[in-house]
Amino acid sequence: MALNFHHIAVQVNDISEVVEWYKSNLGATVINQFDDWAMMEIGGLRLSLTLKNHPNHIAFEVENVDQFPCNPEEVKAHRDGSLFYYQEAPDGTIIEWLYWPAAKP
């Protein structure tokens, strides 16, 4: 199974404020930004900022949704068209499985 690192997500209180901090202090490039979510690239690493209602997680991309370790009815869709599943590791870390049915944006 081909498994590729995609991003790390951390919870923040204010997306805009934290995006500006990462841009000013670490030279982050914003890939997407909304009121409730942002994706940035910093030194080749993708960092997602989420609000408190979204879990901290590590995301991996797979080549086929059939590689998700869950039943098909547990798969959900993001607004960008990607399919995802959250899996909890034994230590409580959340792993996000990602798949883009169409060409990745």
Side-chain angles (χ1 to χ4, degrees):
M1 162 176 49
L3 185 68
N4 295 306
F5 172 79
H6 191 269
H7 69 270
I8 294 173
V10 295
Q11 296 175 344
V12 300
N13 290 321
D14 185 315
I15 300 290
S16 295
E17 177 182 33
V18 178
V19 164
E20 289 306 315
W21 188 92
Y22 276 100
K23 285 169 53 180
S24 296
N25 290 277
L26 298 176
T29 301
V30 177
I31 298 169
N32 288 307
Q33 183 175 348
F34 301 94
D35 291 339
D36 61 342
W37 170 79
M39 179 72 71
M40 301 176 293
E41 187 169 327
I42 307 165
L45 174 83
R46 278 174 284 203
L47 176 65
S48 175
L49 304 176
T50 66
L51 296 179
K52 299 288 183 181
N53 60 349
H54 197 87
N56 290 327
H57 62 270
I58 304 167
F60 295 95
E61 183 178 353
V62 294
E63 296 174 339
N64 190 304
V65 72
D66 295 334
Q67 294 174 313
F68 284 13
C70 65
N71 295 319
E73 62 272 6
E74 296 176 275
V75 175
K76 298 178 183 173
H78 284 302
R79 64 180 138 205
D80 66 2
S82 63
L83 300 178
F84 73 98
Y85 171 70
Y86 288 127
Q87 179 183 36
E88 187 171 339
D91 67 348
T93 300
I94 303 297
I95 304 299
E96 180 180 26
W97 294 76
L98 284 172
Y99 171 69
W100 275 265
K104 189 168 120 177

